[in-house]
Amino acid sequence: MRQILSSFIKTIRRILADKLNQYNTTLPYLITVIIALIVVVGGINLFIELTETLKTEILASYDTAITDYIISYRTPTLTSYFKFVTNVGDTYGYLIVLGMFFLVSLFVIKRWKYVAQATLVLALATISNMMLKRFIDRARPGIEHLVSVETLSYPSGHAMSAMAFYGFLIFLVTKFNTHKVTKFLLIVILVVLVLSIGISRIYLGVHFPSDVAGGFIAGFIWIVFCVLVFDLIELFRRDPKT
C-alpha cells in the first residue's frame, strides 16, 4: 500500500509540476487524502445501500434461510466453540489479544506504534458501531439466544470489530519480515477467527446474517481508511520535500 501511495504522490507531483510553476509541497498529500476519502465514501454508500434494504421481504427471506441453515447444525461441541470465539471478539478477548500483541511488539518486532495503530482501529470501529446501532435501531432476532445481549442488532459489533481489528492485524502480518510458512499460518488463523466470530453471532441466535454482513463491510471500510492514513503520515514524515 505504501509503495502504491508513494508512486501515486510522485505522479501527482509530476502533473502539478507540468501545470503549475509553483505549488505547496503538501498539495500532493492533500489530493491523495481527498481521493482516499472518495474511496471510503464509496464503501459507506455500499453500507448504506445494504442498510436501506433491511426491511425488504427479499432480505428477510435470505436472513431466515441462512439462519435456519446455520442453527440446524447446533451441537454441544459447536456451541462451545462458537461461544469461545464470540468471547474472543468481545471486550476481554480484545484486552488479552492486545496484551499479547503488545508483548510481541515490545520484544520481537520492537515497534510499539503497531499496538497504538491497532488500538485506534478497534476504538474507531467500536465507537462508530455504537452510533450506528442507535441510528438504525434494529431489534435482535426473535429466536432463542444462546448468549445474553443488551444492545441493538445492526450492524453486528462483534463482526465489525473483528473485521477492523483482526483484519488490520492481517495487514500488519503481510508487512512483517517473517518466514513465509509462519506468515501464511498466521493469516489463515486470523481469517478463520474473523469468519468464526461472524458466524458465531448467527449460530448463537443474536444476529441476522445481514447484521454480520453490514458489520464486515463497515469494519473493512475502517481498515482501508486507517491504512491509507497511517501510510500517508509515514510518507509525509519521511518526505524530504515536506
Side-chain angles (χ1 to χ4, degrees):
M1 178 68 76
R2 191 175 299 174
Q3 290 178 344
I4 295 172
L5 285 173
S6 180
S7 299
F8 186 72
I9 289 169
K10 288 177 181 177
T11 301
I12 294 175
R13 277 204 176 117
R14 286 196 298 269
I15 294 171
L16 290 173
D18 291 338
K19 302 294 181 181
L20 303 173
N21 293 328
Q22 192 174 10
Y23 63 90
N24 192 306
T25 55
T26 61
L27 186 57
Y29 290 92
L30 180 60
I31 293 172
T32 306
V33 169
I34 292 171
I35 293 172
L37 285 173
I38 291 172
V39 172
V40 171
V41 168
I44 293 172
N45 284 334
L46 176 62
F47 177 81
I48 291 172
E49 285 182 14
L50 176 60
T51 302
E52 290 176 347
T53 64
L54 290 180
K55 296 181 180 179
T56 62
E57 292 184 6
I58 295 176
L59 184 62
S61 64
Y62 277 117
D63 275 341
T64 301
I66 295 170
T67 299
D68 289 344
Y69 177 78
I70 290 176
I71 65 176
S72 69
Y73 286 93
R74 281 181 176 175
T75 63
T77 302
L78 273 179
T79 299
S80 297
Y81 170 73
F82 282 124
K83 282 184 176 180
F84 170 75
V85 294
T86 213
N87 287 331
V88 174
D90 214 335
T91 304
Y92 293 114
Y94 286 119
L95 288 174
I96 293 170
V97 174
L98 274 172
M100 294 169 60
F101 186 42
F102 174 77
L103 294 175
V104 171
S105 298
L106 188 65
F107 296 107
V108 180
I109 306 172
K110 298 180 180 179
R111 298 288 296 274
W112 66 269
K113 75 170 185 179
Y114 295 130
V115 178
Q117 290 177 349
T119 303
L120 178 61
V121 173
L122 178 61
L124 289 171
T126 302
I127 294 169
S128 60
N129 179 262
M130 291 188 291
M131 295 171 63
L132 287 168
K133 281 180 182 290
R134 287 184 176 275
F135 176 74
I136 297 169
D137 194 27
R138 188 189 199 188
R140 297 275 181 172
I143 59 176
E144 180 188 8
H145 296 178
L146 300 186
V147 291
S148 59
V149 287
E150 297 177 358
T151 59
L152 294 165
S153 193
Y154 184 90
S156 167
H158 279 71
M160 187 170 171
S161 297
M163 175 61 76
F165 179 74
Y166 293 112
F168 184 70
L169 291 188
I170 290 171
F171 166 74
L172 292 180
V173 169
T174 62
K175 293 175 60 177
F176 295 156
N177 187 22
T178 57
H179 194 277
K180 288 184 178 180
V181 175
T182 303
K183 184 179 292 189
F184 175 77
L185 289 175
L186 284 172
I187 291 173
V188 169
I189 291 170
L190 290 170
V191 168
V192 170
L193 180 58
V194 171
L195 294 176
S196 294
I197 290 173
I199 294 171
S200 75
R201 306 309 287 169
I202 305 169
Y203 179 94
L204 297 173
V206 294
H207 274 296
F208 298 101
S210 53
D211 296 338
V212 174
F216 280 160
I217 293 170
F220 185 74
I221 291 170
W222 275 122
I223 294 175
V224 173
F225 179 74
C226 289
V227 167
L228 284 169
V229 171
F230 294 152
D231 282 351
L232 276 172
I233 291 172
E234 191 66 21
L235 287 170
F236 185 81
R237 189 178 66 84
R238 295 184 180 185
D239 193 340
K241 297 181 180 180
T242 57

mmCIF file of all heavy atoms in Angstrom, residues 68-112:
data_model
loop_
_atom_site.group_PDB
_atom_site.id
_atom_site.type_symbol
_atom_site.label_atom_id
_atom_site.label_comp_id
_atom_site.label_asym_id
_atom_site.label_seq_id
_atom_site.Cartn_x
_atom_site.Cartn_y
_atom_site.Cartn_z
ATOM 1 N N ASP A 68 -31.660 -20.344 9.603
ATOM 2 C CA ASP A 68 -32.178 -21.708 9.818
ATOM 3 C C ASP A 68 -31.138 -22.753 9.444
ATOM 4 O O ASP A 68 -31.005 -23.788 10.129
ATOM 5 C CB ASP A 68 -33.449 -21.918 8.984
ATOM 6 C CG ASP A 68 -34.636 -21.128 9.521
ATOM 7 O OD1 ASP A 68 -34.558 -20.674 10.677
ATOM 8 O OD2 ASP A 68 -35.626 -20.965 8.777
ATOM 9 N N TYR A 69 -30.403 -22.500 8.359
ATOM 10 C CA TYR A 69 -29.382 -23.454 7.921
ATOM 11 C C TYR A 69 -28.259 -23.566 8.958
ATOM 12 O O TYR A 69 -27.828 -24.674 9.306
ATOM 13 C CB TYR A 69 -28.808 -23.017 6.573
ATOM 14 C CG TYR A 69 -27.692 -23.907 6.071
ATOM 15 C CD1 TYR A 69 -27.986 -25.136 5.486
ATOM 16 C CD2 TYR A 69 -26.360 -23.515 6.194
ATOM 17 C CE1 TYR A 69 -26.966 -25.964 5.024
ATOM 18 C CE2 TYR A 69 -25.340 -24.330 5.727
ATOM 19 C CZ TYR A 69 -25.643 -25.552 5.155
ATOM 20 O OH TYR A 69 -24.628 -26.364 4.711
ATOM 21 N N ILE A 70 -27.796 -22.415 9.465
ATOM 22 C CA ILE A 70 -26.680 -22.428 10.415
ATOM 23 C C ILE A 70 -27.079 -23.047 11.751
ATOM 24 O O ILE A 70 -26.353 -23.887 12.296
ATOM 25 C CB ILE A 70 -26.135 -20.996 10.614
ATOM 26 C CG1 ILE A 70 -25.428 -20.528 9.337
ATOM 27 C CG2 ILE A 70 -25.168 -20.935 11.802
ATOM 28 C CD1 ILE A 70 -24.932 -19.094 9.376
ATOM 29 N N ILE A 71 -28.246 -22.661 12.284
ATOM 30 C CA ILE A 71 -28.629 -23.185 13.607
ATOM 31 C C ILE A 71 -29.054 -24.656 13.528
ATOM 32 O O ILE A 71 -29.147 -25.334 14.564
ATOM 33 C CB ILE A 71 -29.742 -22.347 14.262
ATOM 34 C CG1 ILE A 71 -31.042 -22.412 13.474
ATOM 35 C CG2 ILE A 71 -29.291 -20.901 14.427
ATOM 36 C CD1 ILE A 71 -32.191 -21.668 14.149
ATOM 37 N N SER A 72 -29.286 -25.168 12.318
ATOM 38 C CA SER A 72 -29.626 -26.590 12.180
ATOM 39 C C SER A 72 -28.436 -27.477 12.540
ATOM 40 O O SER A 72 -28.604 -28.676 12.778
ATOM 41 C CB SER A 72 -30.097 -26.889 10.757
ATOM 42 O OG SER A 72 -29.022 -26.776 9.821
ATOM 43 N N TYR A 73 -27.233 -26.887 12.582
ATOM 44 C CA TYR A 73 -26.023 -27.637 12.908
ATOM 45 C C TYR A 73 -25.636 -27.505 14.381
ATOM 46 O O TYR A 73 -24.525 -27.854 14.763
ATOM 47 C CB TYR A 73 -24.859 -27.159 12.039
ATOM 48 C CG TYR A 73 -24.945 -27.631 10.606
ATOM 49 C CD1 TYR A 73 -25.551 -26.850 9.629
ATOM 50 C CD2 TYR A 73 -24.441 -28.880 10.231
ATOM 51 C CE1 TYR A 73 -25.641 -27.276 8.318
ATOM 52 C CE2 TYR A 73 -24.523 -29.322 8.924
ATOM 53 C CZ TYR A 73 -25.130 -28.520 7.971
ATOM 54 O OH TYR A 73 -25.223 -28.950 6.668
ATOM 55 N N ARG A 74 -26.540 -26.979 15.199
ATOM 56 C CA ARG A 74 -26.217 -26.803 16.614
ATOM 57 C C ARG A 74 -25.943 -28.140 17.296
ATOM 58 O O ARG A 74 -26.743 -29.068 17.230
ATOM 59 C CB ARG A 74 -27.362 -26.100 17.344
ATOM 60 C CG ARG A 74 -27.393 -24.587 17.140
ATOM 61 C CD ARG A 74 -28.545 -23.970 17.907
ATOM 62 N NE ARG A 74 -28.545 -22.512 17.807
ATOM 63 C CZ ARG A 74 -29.493 -21.734 18.309
ATOM 64 N NH1 ARG A 74 -30.521 -22.286 18.945
ATOM 65 N NH2 ARG A 74 -29.418 -20.416 18.175
ATOM 66 N N THR A 75 -24.783 -28.214 17.925
ATOM 67 C CA THR A 75 -24.393 -29.366 18.738
ATOM 68 C C THR A 75 -23.669 -28.821 19.968
ATOM 69 O O THR A 75 -23.203 -27.673 19.956
ATOM 70 C CB THR A 75 -23.432 -30.308 17.980
ATOM 71 O OG1 THR A 75 -22.212 -29.598 17.688
ATOM 72 C CG2 THR A 75 -24.043 -30.819 16.682
ATOM 73 N N PRO A 76 -23.574 -29.584 21.035
ATOM 74 C CA PRO A 76 -22.838 -29.103 22.223
ATOM 75 C C PRO A 76 -21.405 -28.683 21.915
ATOM 76 O O PRO A 76 -20.915 -27.678 22.448
ATOM 77 C CB PRO A 76 -22.884 -30.310 23.164
ATOM 78 C CG PRO A 76 -24.124 -31.051 22.776
ATOM 79 C CD PRO A 76 -24.216 -30.886 21.292
ATOM 80 N N THR A 77 -20.735 -29.431 21.039
ATOM 81 C CA THR A 77 -19.347 -29.106 20.693
ATOM 82 C C THR A 77 -19.255 -27.789 19.933
ATOM 83 O O THR A 77 -18.430 -26.925 20.255
ATOM 84 C CB THR A 77 -18.723 -30.223 19.839
ATOM 85 O OG1 THR A 77 -18.782 -31.458 20.559
ATOM 86 C CG2 THR A 77 -17.266 -29.906 19.518
ATOM 87 N N LEU A 78 -20.099 -27.633 18.908
ATOM 88 C CA LEU A 78 -20.088 -26.398 18.125
ATOM 89 C C LEU A 78 -20.520 -25.204 18.977
ATOM 90 O O LEU A 78 -19.985 -24.102 18.829
ATOM 91 C CB LEU A 78 -21.007 -26.531 16.914
ATOM 92 C CG LEU A 78 -20.403 -27.131 15.644
ATOM 93 C CD1 LEU A 78 -21.452 -27.203 14.547
ATOM 94 C CD2 LEU A 78 -19.197 -26.331 15.173
ATOM 95 N N THR A 79 -21.482 -25.428 19.861
ATOM 96 C CA THR A 79 -21.928 -24.341 20.742
ATOM 97 C C THR A 79 -20.783 -23.860 21.626
ATOM 98 O O THR A 79 -20.587 -22.653 21.801
ATOM 99 C CB THR A 79 -23.116 -24.800 21.608
ATOM 100 O OG1 THR A 79 -24.209 -25.165 20.750
ATOM 101 C CG2 THR A 79 -23.573 -23.675 22.542
ATOM 102 N N SER A 80 -20.018 -24.793 22.164
ATOM 103 C CA SER A 80 -18.866 -24.418 22.991
ATOM 104 C C SER A 80 -17.838 -23.641 22.176
ATOM 105 O O SER A 80 -17.277 -22.648 22.641
ATOM 106 C CB SER A 80 -18.212 -25.671 23.587
ATOM 107 O OG SER A 80 -19.109 -26.340 24.449
ATOM 108 N N TYR A 81 -17.593 -24.099 20.929
ATOM 109 C CA TYR A 81 -16.613 -23.417 20.068
ATOM 110 C C TYR A 81 -17.063 -21.998 19.741
ATOM 111 O O TYR A 81 -16.286 -21.040 19.864
ATOM 112 C CB TYR A 81 -16.421 -24.214 18.771
ATOM 113 C CG TYR A 81 -15.618 -23.462 17.733
ATOM 114 C CD1 TYR A 81 -14.236 -23.288 17.873
ATOM 115 C CD2 TYR A 81 -16.242 -22.888 16.614
ATOM 116 C CE1 TYR A 81 -13.500 -22.579 16.926
ATOM 117 C CE2 TYR A 81 -15.515 -22.184 15.670
ATOM 118 C CZ TYR A 81 -14.141 -22.035 15.836
ATOM 119 O OH TYR A 81 -13.421 -21.314 14.908
ATOM 120 N N PHE A 82 -18.313 -21.853 19.334
ATOM 121 C CA PHE A 82 -18.788 -20.530 18.930
ATOM 122 C C PHE A 82 -18.942 -19.581 20.120
ATOM 123 O O PHE A 82 -18.787 -18.362 19.963
ATOM 124 C CB PHE A 82 -20.089 -20.645 18.144
ATOM 125 C CG PHE A 82 -19.886 -21.070 16.717
ATOM 126 C CD1 PHE A 82 -20.521 -22.197 16.216
ATOM 127 C CD2 PHE A 82 -19.054 -20.345 15.880
ATOM 128 C CE1 PHE A 82 -20.320 -22.591 14.898
ATOM 129 C CE2 PHE A 82 -18.844 -20.734 14.561
ATOM 130 C CZ PHE A 82 -19.483 -21.855 14.071
ATOM 131 N N LYS A 83 -19.229 -20.114 21.302
ATOM 132 C CA LYS A 83 -19.236 -19.263 22.499
ATOM 133 C C LYS A 83 -17.822 -18.781 22.807
ATOM 134 O O LYS A 83 -17.622 -17.632 23.224
ATOM 135 C CB LYS A 83 -19.800 -20.023 23.698
ATOM 136 C CG LYS A 83 -21.315 -20.138 23.705
ATOM 137 C CD LYS A 83 -21.825 -20.811 24.976
ATOM 138 C CE LYS A 83 -23.346 -20.827 25.007
ATOM 139 N NZ LYS A 83 -23.862 -21.468 26.245
ATOM 140 N N PHE A 84 -16.848 -19.654 22.583
ATOM 141 C CA PHE A 84 -15.446 -19.275 22.812
ATOM 142 C C PHE A 84 -15.009 -18.178 21.853
ATOM 143 O O PHE A 84 -14.453 -17.154 22.276
ATOM 144 C CB PHE A 84 -14.535 -20.499 22.664
ATOM 145 C CG PHE A 84 -13.070 -20.156 22.650
ATOM 146 C CD1 PHE A 84 -12.408 -19.816 23.814
ATOM 147 C CD2 PHE A 84 -12.354 -20.146 21.453
ATOM 148 C CE1 PHE A 84 -11.058 -19.479 23.809
ATOM 149 C CE2 PHE A 84 -11.013 -19.810 21.433
ATOM 150 C CZ PHE A 84 -10.365 -19.484 22.616
ATOM 151 N N VAL A 85 -15.264 -18.362 20.550
ATOM 152 C CA VAL A 85 -14.801 -17.366 19.582
ATOM 153 C C VAL A 85 -15.570 -16.058 19.712
ATOM 154 O O VAL A 85 -15.016 -14.980 19.459
ATOM 155 C CB VAL A 85 -14.872 -17.880 18.115
ATOM 156 C CG1 VAL A 85 -13.914 -19.022 17.899
ATOM 157 C CG2 VAL A 85 -16.280 -18.262 17.719
ATOM 158 N N THR A 86 -16.833 -16.131 20.134
ATOM 159 C CA THR A 86 -17.581 -14.889 20.318
ATOM 160 C C THR A 86 -17.017 -14.108 21.498
ATOM 161 O O THR A 86 -17.033 -12.874 21.516
ATOM 162 C CB THR A 86 -19.101 -15.163 20.494
ATOM 163 O OG1 THR A 86 -19.840 -14.084 19.928
ATOM 164 C CG2 THR A 86 -19.502 -15.325 21.941
ATOM 165 N N ASN A 87 -16.459 -14.830 22.504
ATOM 166 C CA ASN A 87 -15.792 -14.164 23.623
ATOM 167 C C ASN A 87 -14.453 -13.570 23.201
ATOM 168 O O ASN A 87 -14.041 -12.528 23.721
ATOM 169 C CB ASN A 87 -15.582 -15.148 24.782
ATOM 170 C CG ASN A 87 -16.868 -15.472 25.507
ATOM 171 O OD1 ASN A 87 -17.785 -14.647 25.552
ATOM 172 N ND2 ASN A 87 -16.960 -16.673 26.068
ATOM 173 N N VAL A 88 -13.786 -14.216 22.246
ATOM 174 C CA VAL A 88 -12.534 -13.662 21.697
ATOM 175 C C VAL A 88 -12.814 -12.336 20.998
ATOM 176 O O VAL A 88 -11.964 -11.438 20.966
ATOM 177 C CB VAL A 88 -11.866 -14.663 20.726
ATOM 178 C CG1 VAL A 88 -10.653 -14.045 20.045
ATOM 179 C CG2 VAL A 88 -11.462 -15.930 21.472
ATOM 180 N N GLY A 89 -14.026 -12.205 20.455
ATOM 181 C CA GLY A 89 -14.418 -10.973 19.785
ATOM 182 C C GLY A 89 -15.133 -9.994 20.698
ATOM 183 O O GLY A 89 -15.797 -9.074 20.222
ATOM 184 N N ASP A 90 -14.992 -10.187 22.015
ATOM 185 C CA ASP A 90 -15.615 -9.285 22.983
ATOM 186 C C ASP A 90 -14.532 -8.522 23.741
ATOM 187 O O ASP A 90 -13.341 -8.698 23.503
ATOM 188 C CB ASP A 90 -16.481 -10.082 23.957
ATOM 189 C CG ASP A 90 -17.714 -9.304 24.390
ATOM 190 O OD1 ASP A 90 -17.664 -8.062 24.336
ATOM 191 O OD2 ASP A 90 -18.709 -9.953 24.779
ATOM 192 N N THR A 91 -14.953 -7.689 24.688
ATOM 193 C CA THR A 91 -14.030 -6.765 25.371
ATOM 194 C C THR A 91 -12.829 -7.470 25.976
ATOM 195 O O THR A 91 -11.674 -7.099 25.710
ATOM 196 C CB THR A 91 -14.782 -5.993 26.477
ATOM 197 O OG1 THR A 91 -15.903 -5.333 25.898
ATOM 198 C CG2 THR A 91 -13.859 -4.958 27.116
ATOM 199 N N TYR A 92 -13.074 -8.488 26.806
ATOM 200 C CA TYR A 92 -11.971 -9.166 27.478
ATOM 201 C C TYR A 92 -11.068 -9.890 26.483
ATOM 202 O O TYR A 92 -9.846 -9.966 26.684
ATOM 203 C CB TYR A 92 -12.511 -10.143 28.526
ATOM 204 C CG TYR A 92 -13.187 -9.454 29.688
ATOM 205 C CD1 TYR A 92 -14.548 -9.594 29.918
ATOM 206 C CD2 TYR A 92 -12.460 -8.633 30.558
ATOM 207 C CE1 TYR A 92 -15.180 -8.941 30.978
ATOM 208 C CE2 TYR A 92 -13.073 -7.975 31.619
ATOM 209 C CZ TYR A 92 -14.431 -8.141 31.814
ATOM 210 O OH TYR A 92 -15.049 -7.500 32.864
ATOM 211 N N GLY A 93 -11.671 -10.405 25.420
ATOM 212 C CA GLY A 93 -10.876 -11.070 24.395
ATOM 213 C C GLY A 93 -9.904 -10.114 23.741
ATOM 214 O O GLY A 93 -8.721 -10.435 23.551
ATOM 215 N N TYR A 94 -10.383 -8.911 23.418
ATOM 216 C CA TYR A 94 -9.507 -7.918 22.795
ATOM 217 C C TYR A 94 -8.421 -7.442 23.754
ATOM 218 O O TYR A 94 -7.285 -7.178 23.338
ATOM 219 C CB TYR A 94 -10.326 -6.732 22.286
ATOM 220 C CG TYR A 94 -11.106 -7.048 21.042
ATOM 221 C CD1 TYR A 94 -12.497 -6.964 21.033
ATOM 222 C CD2 TYR A 94 -10.466 -7.443 19.874
ATOM 223 C CE1 TYR A 94 -13.219 -7.260 19.886
ATOM 224 C CE2 TYR A 94 -11.182 -7.741 18.734
ATOM 225 C CZ TYR A 94 -12.555 -7.661 18.748
ATOM 226 O OH TYR A 94 -13.269 -7.970 17.610
ATOM 227 N N LEU A 95 -8.754 -7.321 25.026
ATOM 228 C CA LEU A 95 -7.756 -6.906 26.015
ATOM 229 C C LEU A 95 -6.624 -7.931 26.100
ATOM 230 O O LEU A 95 -5.442 -7.570 26.171
ATOM 231 C CB LEU A 95 -8.405 -6.724 27.389
ATOM 232 C CG LEU A 95 -9.309 -5.497 27.543
ATOM 233 C CD1 LEU A 95 -9.994 -5.515 28.908
ATOM 234 C CD2 LEU A 95 -8.517 -4.205 27.366
ATOM 235 N N ILE A 96 -6.992 -9.216 26.079
ATOM 236 C CA ILE A 96 -5.978 -10.280 26.132
ATOM 237 C C ILE A 96 -5.125 -10.278 24.867
ATOM 238 O O ILE A 96 -3.892 -10.342 24.927
ATOM 239 C CB ILE A 96 -6.654 -11.652 26.335
ATOM 240 C CG1 ILE A 96 -7.297 -11.731 27.720
ATOM 241 C CG2 ILE A 96 -5.638 -12.789 26.156
ATOM 242 C CD1 ILE A 96 -8.183 -12.955 27.910
ATOM 243 N N VAL A 97 -5.784 -10.196 23.705
ATOM 244 C CA VAL A 97 -5.053 -10.206 22.423
ATOM 245 C C VAL A 97 -4.158 -8.971 22.313
ATOM 246 O O VAL A 97 -3.006 -9.060 21.865
ATOM 247 C CB VAL A 97 -6.025 -10.278 21.241
ATOM 248 C CG1 VAL A 97 -5.274 -10.142 19.915
ATOM 249 C CG2 VAL A 97 -6.794 -11.590 21.260
ATOM 250 N N LEU A 98 -4.672 -7.805 22.726
ATOM 251 C CA LEU A 98 -3.858 -6.586 22.697
ATOM 252 C C LEU A 98 -2.657 -6.702 23.626
ATOM 253 O O LEU A 98 -1.559 -6.246 23.292
ATOM 254 C CB LEU A 98 -4.704 -5.375 23.103
ATOM 255 C CG LEU A 98 -5.495 -4.685 21.986
ATOM 256 C CD1 LEU A 98 -6.425 -3.634 22.568
ATOM 257 C CD2 LEU A 98 -4.557 -4.056 20.963
ATOM 258 N N GLY A 99 -2.862 -7.324 24.789
ATOM 259 C CA GLY A 99 -1.742 -7.540 25.713
ATOM 260 C C GLY A 99 -0.671 -8.433 25.105
ATOM 261 O O GLY A 99 0.526 -8.146 25.201
ATOM 262 N N MET A 100 -1.108 -9.518 24.447
ATOM 263 C CA MET A 100 -0.162 -10.420 23.782
ATOM 264 C C MET A 100 0.547 -9.706 22.636
ATOM 265 O O MET A 100 1.761 -9.856 22.450
ATOM 266 C CB MET A 100 -0.907 -11.646 23.258
ATOM 267 C CG MET A 100 -1.500 -12.541 24.341
ATOM 268 S SD MET A 100 -2.642 -13.788 23.688
ATOM 269 C CE MET A 100 -1.586 -14.700 22.572
ATOM 270 N N PHE A 101 -0.207 -8.916 21.874
ATOM 271 C CA PHE A 101 0.371 -8.182 20.750
ATOM 272 C C PHE A 101 1.368 -7.143 21.242
ATOM 273 O O PHE A 101 2.398 -6.893 20.603
ATOM 274 C CB PHE A 101 -0.739 -7.520 19.943
ATOM 275 C CG PHE A 101 -0.271 -6.851 18.681
ATOM 276 C CD1 PHE A 101 0.672 -7.452 17.862
ATOM 277 C CD2 PHE A 101 -0.783 -5.617 18.303
ATOM 278 C CE1 PHE A 101 1.107 -6.838 16.697
ATOM 279 C CE2 PHE A 101 -0.353 -4.987 17.146
ATOM 280 C CZ PHE A 101 0.592 -5.602 16.341
ATOM 281 N N PHE A 102 1.070 -6.537 22.397
ATOM 282 C CA PHE A 102 1.990 -5.560 22.984
ATOM 283 C C PHE A 102 3.328 -6.216 23.331
ATOM 284 O O PHE A 102 4.402 -5.658 23.058
ATOM 285 C CB PHE A 102 1.369 -4.939 24.236
ATOM 286 C CG PHE A 102 2.301 -4.021 24.980
ATOM 287 C CD1 PHE A 102 2.549 -2.733 24.520
ATOM 288 C CD2 PHE A 102 2.947 -4.454 26.138
ATOM 289 C CE1 PHE A 102 3.422 -1.887 25.200
ATOM 290 C CE2 PHE A 102 3.814 -3.618 26.816
ATOM 291 C CZ PHE A 102 4.046 -2.331 26.344
ATOM 292 N N LEU A 103 3.269 -7.403 23.916
ATOM 293 C CA LEU A 103 4.499 -8.122 24.280
ATOM 294 C C LEU A 103 5.297 -8.512 23.037
ATOM 295 O O LEU A 103 6.529 -8.387 23.011
ATOM 296 C CB LEU A 103 4.155 -9.365 25.108
ATOM 297 C CG LEU A 103 3.554 -9.107 26.497
ATOM 298 C CD1 LEU A 103 3.148 -10.421 27.149
ATOM 299 C CD2 LEU A 103 4.549 -8.353 27.376
ATOM 300 N N VAL A 104 4.590 -8.981 22.007
ATOM 301 C CA VAL A 104 5.267 -9.343 20.752
ATOM 302 C C VAL A 104 5.909 -8.109 20.126
ATOM 303 O O VAL A 104 7.048 -8.146 19.650
ATOM 304 C CB VAL A 104 4.273 -9.992 19.769
ATOM 305 C CG1 VAL A 104 4.920 -10.168 18.395
ATOM 306 C CG2 VAL A 104 3.796 -11.332 20.294
ATOM 307 N N SER A 105 5.178 -6.990 20.142
ATOM 308 C CA SER A 105 5.702 -5.745 19.568
ATOM 309 C C SER A 105 6.899 -5.231 20.345
ATOM 310 O O SER A 105 7.844 -4.686 19.775
ATOM 311 C CB SER A 105 4.606 -4.664 19.548
ATOM 312 O OG SER A 105 3.531 -5.067 18.747
ATOM 313 N N LEU A 106 6.863 -5.422 21.658
ATOM 314 C CA LEU A 106 7.931 -4.905 22.519
ATOM 315 C C LEU A 106 9.209 -5.725 22.414
ATOM 316 O O LEU A 106 10.309 -5.164 22.318
ATOM 317 C CB LEU A 106 7.440 -4.878 23.972
ATOM 318 C CG LEU A 106 8.343 -4.184 24.990
ATOM 319 C CD1 LEU A 106 8.463 -2.703 24.690
ATOM 320 C CD2 LEU A 106 7.800 -4.385 26.400
ATOM 321 N N PHE A 107 9.066 -7.051 22.398
ATOM 322 C CA PHE A 107 10.252 -7.907 22.470
ATOM 323 C C PHE A 107 10.666 -8.530 21.134
ATOM 324 O O PHE A 107 11.825 -8.911 20.967
ATOM 325 C CB PHE A 107 10.015 -9.038 23.485
ATOM 326 C CG PHE A 107 9.841 -8.549 24.891
ATOM 327 C CD1 PHE A 107 8.597 -8.566 25.497
ATOM 328 C CD2 PHE A 107 10.920 -8.042 25.611
ATOM 329 C CE1 PHE A 107 8.428 -8.114 26.799
ATOM 330 C CE2 PHE A 107 10.764 -7.580 26.902
ATOM 331 C CZ PHE A 107 9.515 -7.609 27.507
ATOM 332 N N VAL A 108 9.745 -8.651 20.189
ATOM 333 C CA VAL A 108 10.069 -9.296 18.909
ATOM 334 C C VAL A 108 10.160 -8.261 17.786
ATOM 335 O O VAL A 108 11.195 -8.099 17.143
ATOM 336 C CB VAL A 108 9.027 -10.381 18.554
ATOM 337 C CG1 VAL A 108 9.400 -11.042 17.221
ATOM 338 C CG2 VAL A 108 8.933 -11.416 19.655
ATOM 339 N N ILE A 109 9.046 -7.554 17.552
ATOM 340 C CA ILE A 109 9.012 -6.574 16.469
ATOM 341 C C ILE A 109 9.753 -5.300 16.848
ATOM 342 O O ILE A 109 10.360 -4.631 16.022
ATOM 343 C CB ILE A 109 7.550 -6.234 16.099
ATOM 344 C CG1 ILE A 109 6.766 -7.512 15.795
ATOM 345 C CG2 ILE A 109 7.501 -5.290 14.897
ATOM 346 C CD1 ILE A 109 5.289 -7.305 15.618
ATOM 347 N N LYS A 110 9.670 -4.960 18.151
ATOM 348 C CA LYS A 110 10.310 -3.757 18.713
ATOM 349 C C LYS A 110 9.796 -2.475 18.052
ATOM 350 O O LYS A 110 10.554 -1.545 17.795
ATOM 351 C CB LYS A 110 11.837 -3.860 18.596
ATOM 352 C CG LYS A 110 12.406 -5.039 19.377
ATOM 353 C CD LYS A 110 13.906 -5.143 19.267
ATOM 354 C CE LYS A 110 14.416 -6.340 20.067
ATOM 355 N NZ LYS A 110 15.876 -6.498 19.980
ATOM 356 N N ARG A 111 8.507 -2.453 17.755
ATOM 357 C CA ARG A 111 7.844 -1.271 17.195
ATOM 358 C C ARG A 111 6.496 -1.131 17.888
ATOM 359 O O ARG A 111 5.517 -1.756 17.484
ATOM 360 C CB ARG A 111 7.680 -1.409 15.678
ATOM 361 C CG ARG A 111 8.973 -1.519 14.882
ATOM 362 C CD ARG A 111 9.715 -0.201 14.827
ATOM 363 N NE ARG A 111 8.972 0.833 14.134
ATOM 364 C CZ ARG A 111 9.022 0.996 12.809
ATOM 365 N NH1 ARG A 111 9.748 0.187 12.047
ATOM 366 N NH2 ARG A 111 8.336 1.969 12.235
ATOM 367 N N TRP A 112 6.411 -0.334 18.946
ATOM 368 C CA TRP A 112 5.186 -0.204 19.720
ATOM 369 C C TRP A 112 4.081 0.511 18.951
ATOM 370 O O TRP A 112 2.902 0.416 19.295
ATOM 371 C CB TRP A 112 5.457 0.548 21.019
ATOM 372 C CG TRP A 112 5.855 1.981 20.801
ATOM 373 C CD1 TRP A 112 7.110 2.482 20.655
ATOM 374 C CD2 TRP A 112 4.971 3.103 20.674
ATOM 375 N NE1 TRP A 112 7.070 3.833 20.438
ATOM 376 C CE2 TRP A 112 5.775 4.246 20.455
ATOM 377 C CE3 TRP A 112 3.588 3.262 20.723
ATOM 378 C CZ2 TRP A 112 5.225 5.516 20.273
ATOM 379 C CZ3 TRP A 112 3.042 4.525 20.540
ATOM 380 C CH2 TRP A 112 3.858 5.645 20.329
#
